[in-house]
Amino acid sequence: MVSALRTLALLLAVLTAGPAAADEAGCRLSLLLALDVSSSVDDGEYRLQKEGLVGALGDPDVRRALLDGGPVALAVYEWSGRNQSTVILGWSLIDGPDAIDRAAGIILGTPRSFNRYPTAMGYALGFGATLMTRAPACDRRVIDVSGDGITNDGFRPQQAYDHYPFDGVVVNGLAVLGSDPRVVDYYRGEVAHGPGAFVEIAEGYSDFRRAMTRKLFRELNDMIIGNLAPPGAGLRR
C-alpha cells in the first residue's frame, strides 16, 4: 500500500497539471501515453523515443484513425522514479488536423523532465490512473506505457492495479529491447491489464517509431490481436 503522504503528493502532482479538456459528446477514447525517462534511457534514446512518438502521430494511417469516428482525448506524461512522473501534454481534445499538430509540437518542444532515477513502474501506473480520472468522459480509456526495463524501485504493477482506480481502464505496453532481457515477459505478464490488452515490441529505440505507429493504430481502432491486419504500407516500415 502507498502511504497517505505519498498518495497525497501524487494527487497534488496530477491536480497541478492543469484542467482537463471539457467533456465532449461523442468522445470515443481517452488515450494516455507514458514515456520512460529512467536512468536506463540515455539522451540519444530519449530523443528517438520523443521523435518516434511525434513521427507516429504524423503517420497518415494514424492521423486518419485519430480523426475518423469521433474525437479522441490525448495526454502524455514521462515517468521514472517514485515521485518522478511529469505531465508534458495535458488532456487535449483531438478533433482536427491542427489539434494533432499542436499536440505534436508540445510533445517535441518539452525538455526531458528527469534522467537519473530508477524504474518505479507501480508508481508510474498509479500516477496514470489518477490522471485518467481527470480525462474527458469517453467511451474507452487506455493507458499506453513504454519502457525498456522492469520495476526496480517501489511496488509492482499488480499492487497499482489493486489500489488505484483502474476500473474500465485498459493498459497496453510497448516493450523496448536492449536494456533488460526480461522486459518483454515482464510487460506481457505484469504490465498489460484489462480486456484486450496487448504489448508491442520495439527492437531498440531506433525501432520505436515503427512500434508506436503500429500500437497507436491498434489502440485507435480497438483492434485485438486475432483481428489485426496490416492497414497499409504506412505501417510496414
Side-chain angles (χ1 to χ4, degrees):
M1 287 286 290
V2 183
S3 71
L5 288 176
R6 285 174 179 160
T7 301
L8 178 58
L10 177 64
L11 288 170
L12 288 173
V14 172
L15 291 173
T16 57
D23 288 354
E24 185 78 13
C27 178
R28 59 191 168 97
L29 172 65
S30 297
L31 180 59
L32 179 56
L33 308 179
L35 303 177
D36 185 359
V37 294
S38 63
S39 59
S40 63
V41 180
D42 66 27
D43 289 341
E45 292 167 338
Y46 174 75
R47 185 179 68 254
L48 288 170
Q49 180 178 214
K50 183 77 76 69
E51 292 175 352
L53 172 55
V54 170
L57 289 172
D59 181 272
D61 289 317
V62 171
R63 288 177 76 94
R64 280 192 292 270
L66 276 165
L67 299 177
D68 290 349
V72 171
L74 179 68
V76 183
Y77 69 101
E78 295 180 343
W79 67 274
S80 55
R82 297 186 182 203
N83 299 304
Q84 285 72 45
S85 290
T86 301
V87 174
I88 64 170
L89 176 70
W91 285 111
S92 303
L93 197 66
I94 306 300
D95 55 2
D98 289 346
I100 301 175
D101 295 339
R102 282 194 300 271
I106 292 170
I107 294 166
L108 195 59
T110 303
R112 179 171 182 161
S113 53
F114 298 99
N115 60 12
R116 297 189 189 130
Y117 291 88
T119 300
M121 177 74 76
Y123 282 85
L125 287 167
F127 183 92
T130 308
L131 185 58
M132 185 64 81
T133 66
R134 293 176 49 77
C138 299
D139 295 335
R140 297 168 49 228
R141 297 187 294 162
V142 174
I143 299 177
D144 176 331
V145 181
S146 303
D148 64 6
I150 71 171
T151 299
N152 57 27
D153 187 36
F155 54 89
R156 295 169 65 167
Q158 187 55 58
Q159 292 165 296
Y161 296 142
D162 287 343
H163 298 294
Y164 284 88
F166 279 95
D167 288 347
V169 177
V170 171
V171 179
N172 297 323
L174 196 165
V176 182
L177 301 182
S179 178
D180 191 318
R182 301 167 291 176
V183 65
V184 173
D185 288 342
Y186 190 81
Y187 268 66
R188 286 174 172 165
E190 300 207 31
V191 178
H193 175 80
F198 65 89
V199 174
E200 284 287 348
I201 300 170
E203 301 282 344
Y205 282 99
S206 61
D207 189 41
F208 191 89
R209 175 173 177 171
R210 180 206 61 81
M212 178 57 79
T213 300
R214 179 177 168 91
K215 189 165 187 285
L216 289 176
F217 189 89
R218 292 177 65 175
E219 288 164 337
L220 291 164
N221 289 282
D222 198 16
M223 287 180 165
I224 60 174
I225 293 174
N227 290 339
L228 181 62
L235 295 184
R236 294 196 296 273
R237 284 188 286 275

